[in-house]
Amino acid sequence: NSKVIQTPRYLVKGQGQKAKMRCIPEKGHPVVFWYQQNKNNEFKFLINFQNQEVLQQIDMTEKRFSAECPSNSPCSLEIQSSEAGDSALYLCASSLSRTYYAEQFFGPGTRLTVL
Amino acid sequence: GDSVTQMQGQVTLSEDDFLFINCTYSTTWYPTLFWYVQYPGEGPQLLLKVTTANNKGISRGFEATYDKGTTSFHLQKASVQESDSAVYYCVLGDRDSNNRIFFGDGTQLVVKP
């Protein structure tokens, strides 16, 4: 069972609308990742944080996507103006370490449908 | 750049059959290799991990050997159960990847009772 909590589990938006999803990482994990998983099961890295600081983000994220991990609050990923191509499962993962060999613990995801 | 290839999109077996899922990788450094499993309605979870070349990882009856010579990390299980039905992802991470990990396209395992 996932210890990473993601809300909501399902999100339906119209094109151009904002879509916001939240993630509570596993307790004690300072590193948080966001991935987009499309219907073909392909994973795309979006952004990661260590505590409140952004470590890396892809170009797509810099334009319409915004994310934050404030202290003592859930992390969030927001799409400012949703497009049909954004329909996907958004997975949040947390880890004890930012290193490539550390296990990542995934939540169940938020399934976004953009009509 | 780093990449992982899983040639089989779906594997269909009967209970007690032998499982083999193919995975090959490409990297310029010394990777850590993982198998993650994703059950319906859940996020991926770590099945096993191997950090050193020519070592084997074993978990829950599954095993995979990090073969540097053939750049492969195939997943095997001697006898599958219906509860093993899930999507299996071969995953790679190394120091040249900016600490990111790279997922293969996944192999859907369907085990019939």
Side-chain angles (χ1 to χ4, degrees):
Chain A
N1 291 331
S2 297
K3 296 180 181 179
V4 174
I5 299 170
Q6 289 190 249
T7 57
R9 291 294 306 273
Y10 301 91
L11 195 53
V12 180
K13 295 292 178 182
Q15 295 199 46
Q17 290 186 320
K18 286 186 183 180
K20 187 168 186 175
M21 53 205 84
R22 292 175 176 82
C23 169
I24 300 175
E26 191 159 337
K27 190 174 181 181
H29 285 191
V31 183
V32 173
F33 303 80
W34 286 98
Y35 295 91
Q36 180 192 63
Q37 185 181 21
N38 68 19
K39 62 180 180 179
N40 296 320
N41 287 335
E42 295 165 332
F43 285 75
K44 179 181 287 185
F45 167 86
L46 297 177
I47 191 169
N48 61 348
F49 294 83
Q50 181 154 353
N51 298 314
Q52 291 80 53
E53 292 190 20
V54 175
L55 295 173
Q56 302 171 66
Q57 59 184 342
I58 64 167
D59 287 345
M60 180 181 77
T61 309
E62 292 172 5
K63 293 173 183 173
R64 293 186 299 111
F65 289 57
S66 62
E68 60 177 2
C69 272
S71 178
N72 298 319
S73 293
C75 297
S76 64
L77 176 69
E78 185 171 31
I79 306 172
Q80 301 302 320
S81 178
S82 302
E83 299 176 356
D86 297 331
S87 295
L89 182 68
Y90 289 84
L91 290 162
C92 174
S94 70
S95 181
L96 284 167
S97 167
R98 62 184 289 182
T99 56
Y100 63 87
Y101 48 81
E103 179 179 359
Q104 294 185 22
F105 295 80
F106 286 82
T110 292
R111 185 165 295 283
L112 172 65
T113 301
V114 182
L115 302 175
Chain B
D2 294 342
S3 67
V4 178
T5 302
Q6 293 179 243
M7 296 301 294
Q8 303 147 290
Q10 180 165 313
V11 172
T12 301
L13 299 171
S14 299
E15 280 198 325
D16 298 324
D17 280 352
F18 171 73
L19 170 69
F20 180 92
I21 298 179
N22 183 288
C23 171
T24 55
Y25 65 88
S26 174
T27 178
T28 56
W29 201 249
Y30 300 97
T32 289
L33 297 168
F34 310 79
W35 278 99
Y36 277 81
V37 57
Q38 187 173 22
Y39 298 99
E42 297 182 15
Q45 58 181 266
L46 182 66
L47 179 59
L48 55 85
K49 172 178 96 169
V50 179
T51 57
T52 306
N54 303 319
N55 278 11
K56 179 189 289 188
I58 300 175
S59 174
R60 303 185 235 167
F62 293 87
E63 62 178 60
T65 299
Y66 174 167
D67 188 328
K68 190 170 185 297
T70 59
T71 62
S72 66
F73 192 55
H74 308 313
L75 183 68
Q76 303 181 61
K77 187 178 186 186
S79 175
V80 294
Q81 303 302 307
E82 191 176 1
S83 58
D84 293 326
S85 296
V87 182
Y88 292 80
Y89 295 94
C90 186
V91 179
L92 172 153
D94 73 31
R95 54 172 277 178
D96 277 351
S97 64
N98 258 335
N99 284 314
R100 294 186 193 176
I101 59 175
F102 296 87
F103 285 78
D105 289 341
T107 298
Q108 171 86 54
L109 172 63
V110 177
V111 181
K112 297 180 177 179

